[in-house]
């Protein structure tokens, strides 16, 4: 800026100073006024004593040093424990992979044998089914079935696991295994 | 590049011409591995339990402080309950001497505990979970489908074959009009009844077994070779009611329980398709 402009602005008016915070009516940090719930949320989301940014939101607990000393025996011990766990996981993984490989080889051998023995059966075993397709047999059967039975047949989609195959839970169900089951022959 | 590879292979004699022709067509049967999948999760081992406890107290030492004043209003019974439970958890993780003593009187502490217990009763929190081991485990009832909840159970039948009692998986013949997976299901229903919800996995066999021929029949050229193709099926409900004429007995067994019951040669052919767990 040229000196002439500076001089003219100095003569015109005193420099604008920012008002002290207490004098402002806007953007005032206040502890008394305002919804206490909002204050809690703000304090939780933006804690004031963020010492280190390693924690994704906020901070450590106040006695983190003491707690850590009680939690782990030493740095070397912690590393040993971690390595032991990874080794354990590796053993499990290797066992699982070996079992899967055995099963796969068995399946491959079966399909190779079938291919040599009977071409028609092999081609059918190899075919990928369209999940939406209905076989002739199914169509014939569905003409003479009750609505509930039709729904039961349509619920099982080719190529997908049935819904009744339950995921294991931590504790068994109250009734246990369902021994009574009404027989229903599906068209395969 | 592919074209040159193809032209290089042309002079080779195709393998089909060199294979000796079989005079008799092979006899194909299907067998079914009816599997009851695990119903409960695996029990963690000693090392796993120790590691999980270690990780839990490490996380507790390092996690963000819980914003309890956001979730629990000050002075309420729920806050008292949370404080009690939290002190228990801290004591469990870091030991008894970690937390400072609370500056409340003994009477107040007793009153708090009593109030929390009343709340638990009112909310009906005393619902008992079922135990992980069933009565069938203690009784070692091999016909029960509630036994060994963490393991895979396979169906084994005891039948009379050539005058001998053998334990084997359900099997049967294949008709000319059927495909293998259809034959597998109908053979299963024929030997085990249809009072069960069985589902065959896919259309491909999971294994093949050739029964060992006797020395007498091997010498004659006219005996067809027998191939038994195994199919995996899951049972989801119901129980098997075996055909009384052909099947003497049945059992739901884990992999290591099958091994002693079954013939050596059969076991060698079948062990790779069973699950270890």
């Amino acid at each position: 800026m040229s000196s002439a402009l500076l001089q003219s602005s100095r003569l015109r008016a005193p420099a604008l100073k920012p008002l002290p915070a207490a004098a402002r009516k806007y953007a005032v940090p206040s502890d008394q006024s305002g919804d206490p719930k909002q204050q809690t949320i703000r304090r939780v989301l933006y804690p004031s004593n963020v010492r280190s940014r390693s924690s994704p939101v906020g901070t450590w607990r106040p006695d983190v040093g003491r707690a850590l000393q009680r939690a782990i025996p030493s740095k070397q011990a912690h590393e040993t424990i971690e390595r032991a766990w990874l080794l354990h996981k590796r053993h499990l993984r290797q066992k699982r992979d070996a079992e899967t490989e055995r099963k796969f080889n068995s399946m491959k051998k079966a399909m190779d044998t079938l291919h040599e023995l009977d071409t028609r059966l092999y081609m059918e075993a190899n075919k990928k089914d369209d999940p939406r397709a209905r076989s002739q047999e199914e169509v014939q059967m569905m003409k003479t079935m009750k609505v509930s039975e039709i729904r039961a047949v349509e619920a099982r989609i080719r190529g997908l696991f049935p819904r009744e195959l339950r995921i294991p839970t931590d504790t068994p169900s109250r009734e246990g295994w369902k021994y009574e089951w009404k027989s229903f022959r599906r068209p395969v | 590049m592919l074209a040159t590879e193809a032209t290089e292979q042309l002079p080779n004699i195709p393998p089909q011409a060199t294979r000796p022709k079989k005079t008799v067509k092979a006899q194909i049967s299907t067998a079914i591995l009816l599997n009851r999948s695990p119903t409960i999760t695996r029990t963690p081992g000693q090392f796993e339990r120790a590691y999980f406890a270690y990780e839990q107290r490490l996380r507790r030492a390092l996690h963000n402080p819980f914003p309890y004043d956001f979730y629990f209003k000050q002075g309420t019974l729920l806050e008292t309950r949370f404080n009690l439970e939290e002190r228990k958890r801290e004591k469990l993780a870091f030991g008894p001497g970690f937390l400072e003593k609370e500056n409340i009187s003994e009477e107040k502490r007793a009153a708090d505990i009593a109030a929390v217990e009343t709340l638990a009763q009112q909310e009906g929190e005393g619902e008992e979970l079922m135990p992980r081991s069933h009565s069938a485990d203690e009784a070692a009832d091999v016909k029960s489908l509630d036994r060994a909840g963490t393991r895979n159970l396979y169906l084994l039948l005891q039948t009379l074959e050539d005058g001998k009692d053998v334990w084997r998986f359900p099997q049967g013949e294949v008709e000319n009009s059927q495909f293998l997976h259809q034959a597998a299901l109908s053979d299963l229903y024929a030997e085990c009844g249809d009072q069960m919800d069985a589902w065959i996995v896919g259309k491909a066999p999971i294994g093949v077994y050739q029964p060992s021929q006797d020395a007498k029949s091997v010498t004659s050229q006219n005996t067809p070779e027998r191939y038994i193709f195994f199919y995996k099926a899951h049972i989801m409900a119901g129980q098997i009611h075996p055909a009384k004429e052909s099947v003497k007995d049945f059992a739901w067994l884990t992999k290591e329980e099958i091994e002693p019951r079954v013939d050596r040669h059969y076991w060698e052919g079948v062990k790779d398709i069973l699950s270890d767990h």
Side-chain angles (χ1 to χ4, degrees), chain A residues 45-88:
Chain A
L45 287 177
Y46 308 108
S48 56
N49 60 337
V50 180
R51 284 193 219 111
S52 161
R53 279 287 170 194
S54 307
S55 177
V57 175
T59 180
W60 311 111
R61 54 191 281 163
D63 50 358
V64 62
R66 224 160 53 87
L68 208 53
Q69 283 205 334
R70 288 247 187 172
I72 67 171
S74 72
K75 185 166 178 287
Q76 294 87 348
H78 174 74
E79 287 183 355
T80 312
I81 292 169
E82 285 295 308
R83 282 171 52 209
W85 178 249
L86 291 171
L87 192 65
H88 172 67

Side-chain angles (χ1 to χ4, degrees), chain A residues 43 55 57 59 61 66 70 72 78 82 88 102-103 106 124 156 169-170 177-179 183 188, chain B residues 39-41 48 54 60 64 69 90 94 98 132 145-146 185 194 197 203 206 238 273 275-276:
Chain A
R43 196 177 57 247
S55 177
V57 175
T59 180
R61 54 191 281 163
R66 224 160 53 87
R70 288 247 187 172
I72 67 171
H78 174 74
E82 285 295 308
H88 172 67
R102 282 197 299 270
K103 285 183 178 172
S106 170
E124 185 60 31
R156 288 261 170 102
T169 48
D170 281 334
W177 185 263
K178 190 174 160 194
Y179 285 100
S183 73
V188 179
Chain B
T39 48
I40 52 180
T41 51
E48 284 168 340
Y54 175 76
R60 181 167 273 280
N64 297 318
D69 52 351
E90 292 271 301
F94 301 123
F98 184 72
R132 280 168 64 92
L145 279 156
D146 290 305
L185 193 60
D194 61 356
D197 190 6
K203 304 198 295 185
I206 59 169
I273 57 178
S275 291
D276 283 335

Side-chain angles (χ1 to χ4, degrees), chain B residues 6-45:
Chain B
T7 49
E8 273 163 23
Q9 278 174 14
L10 271 174
N12 290 340
I13 303 163
Q16 283 85 359
T18 52
R19 199 188 298 137
K21 283 225 175 85
K22 293 207 192 315
T23 49
V24 192
K25 197 173 171 208
Q27 188 193 13
I28 296 179
S29 332
T30 49
I32 297 93
L33 205 68
L34 190 57
N35 175 27
R36 191 228 63 187
S37 315
T39 48
I40 52 180
T41 51
R42 297 185 200 197
T43 318

Side-chain angles (χ1 to χ4, degrees), chain B residues 111-271:
Chain B
D112 282 342
I113 292 172
V116 165
E117 273 175 17
T118 330
L119 178 68
Q121 272 172 15
Q122 282 170 0
E123 288 190 345
E125 280 183 18
E127 213 180 275
E128 288 294 312
L129 292 170
M130 297 298 286
R132 280 168 64 92
S133 93
H134 198 262
S135 54
D137 283 301
E138 277 107 59
D141 178 14
V142 287
K143 291 192 170 39
S144 166
L145 279 156
D146 290 305
R147 189 178 74 98
T150 58
R151 306 289 308 276
N152 277 295
L153 292 179
Y154 298 102
L155 177 67
L156 212 60
L157 303 177
Q158 189 185 28
T159 58
L160 220 75
E161 302 232 329
D162 299 332
K164 280 195 302 177
D165 270 344
V166 286
W167 283 93
R168 60 159 174 80
F169 294 111
Q171 76 187 46
E173 306 306 319
V174 181
E175 274 142 52
N176 276 331
S177 59
Q178 284 181 319
F179 293 119
L180 277 182
H181 63 284
Q182 295 165 338
L185 193 60
S186 58
D187 292 337
L188 180 66
Y189 285 150
E191 284 212 321
C192 305
D194 61 356
Q195 306 288 322
M196 58 177 169
D197 190 6
W199 177 73
I200 298 226
V201 184
K203 304 198 295 185
I206 59 169
V208 66
Y209 171 65
Q210 282 186 271
S212 54
Q213 310 279 16
D214 297 331
K216 204 170 57 171
S217 52
V218 153
T219 48
S220 70
Q221 284 292 319
N222 286 330
T223 42
E225 283 198 18
R226 285 192 65 204
Y227 292 88
I228 304 179
F229 286 96
F230 278 84
Y231 274 80
K232 181 170 184 184
H234 287 275
I235 181 170
M236 290 158 299
Q239 174 65 292
I240 67 154
H241 298 275
K244 288 280 161 49
E245 316 82 48
S246 46
V247 177
K248 284 178 65 184
D249 199 13
F250 72 95
W252 290 98
L253 305 167
T254 58
K255 184 172 179 180
E256 59 272 1
E257 289 165 2
I258 292 176
E259 186 174 359
R261 294 197 193 213
V262 147
D263 292 336
R264 194 80 244 151
H265 190 261
Y266 194 69
W267 173 251
E268 292 299 321
V270 146
K271 68 180 189 324

Side-chain angles (χ1 to χ4, degrees), chain A residues 37 45 67 70 91-93 103 127 129 137 145 167:
Chain A
K37 211 171 184 182
L45 287 177
R70 288 247 187 172
H91 289 325
L92 290 179
R93 202 178 343 129
K103 285 183 178 172
K127 204 192 283 189
D129 268 338
E137 199 192 328
M145 275 201 289
I167 297 169

